[in-house]
Amino acid sequence: MTEQSLSNAKLIEELQKQVLDLDKGLDKRRDSYTRESREIVEQLARIQVTGERVSEITRLKEQRDSLQKDHDKYAEATLEKIWILERKLEELKGGPKLYY
């Protein structure tokens, strides 16, 4: 193996690790989001059953919506990073040079 191919192999390995780490992080974030969202929905159900104040219901719904937006932003940014890393991997493996 040439020095260049060894360098590319190491870079490919590192990029693959970064993609895997980002993917795992996204899975953890998704699990956390799902759990928090479920808790908010359960709180809303309890409040509606007990007839508590409308302001509390509104606050929890806004909290849920905010959580959804935060999760969506994080997921979009992470998926974009993964896409870029995968394009770099393709280039290193001899694929066409892509511009991003």
Side-chain angles (χ1 to χ4, degrees), residues 44-78:
L44 281 168
R46 282 194 299 275
I47 288 171
Q48 289 173 346
V49 167
T50 60
E52 288 187 36
R53 298 172 301 204
V54 171
S55 63
E56 182 68 11
I57 293 170
T58 302
R59 183 188 68 76
L60 286 169
K61 286 182 179 180
E62 288 171 353
Q63 182 181 350
R64 181 190 61 199
D65 292 346
S66 176
L67 181 65
Q68 174 72 48
K69 286 178 186 175
D70 288 348
H71 172 71
D72 290 349
K73 277 185 186 178
Y74 177 85
E76 184 178 334
T78 302

Side-chain angles (χ1 to χ4, degrees), residues 5-98:
S5 62
L6 281 174
S7 177
N8 279 355
K10 287 180 182 180
L11 188 54
I12 288 170
E13 186 178 315
E14 179 58 33
L15 289 174
Q16 287 172 329
K17 183 183 179 313
Q18 287 179 22
V19 168
L20 185 60
D21 289 346
L22 285 169
D23 195 40
K24 285 180 183 178
L26 184 58
D27 286 344
K28 286 181 183 179
R29 178 79 180 236
R30 187 178 301 121
D31 291 345
S32 174
Y33 160 75
T34 301
R35 184 179 54 257
E36 289 179 45
S37 182
R38 187 178 315 121
E39 289 169 1
I40 291 170
V41 169
E42 289 171 358
Q43 288 176 7
L44 281 168
R46 282 194 299 275
I47 288 171
Q48 289 173 346
V49 167
T50 60
E52 288 187 36
R53 298 172 301 204
V54 171
S55 63
E56 182 68 11
I57 293 170
T58 302
R59 183 188 68 76
L60 286 169
K61 286 182 179 180
E62 288 171 353
Q63 182 181 350
R64 181 190 61 199
D65 292 346
S66 176
L67 181 65
Q68 174 72 48
K69 286 178 186 175
D70 288 348
H71 172 71
D72 290 349
K73 277 185 186 178
Y74 177 85
E76 184 178 334
T78 302
L79 290 172
E80 185 175 329
K81 288 177 187 175
I82 289 171
W83 183 86
I84 289 169
L85 290 172
E86 286 176 340
R87 299 300 72 77
K88 287 180 181 179
L89 280 168
E90 286 300 314
E91 287 176 20
L92 287 170
K93 291 178 180 178
K97 180 140 180 81
L98 303 172

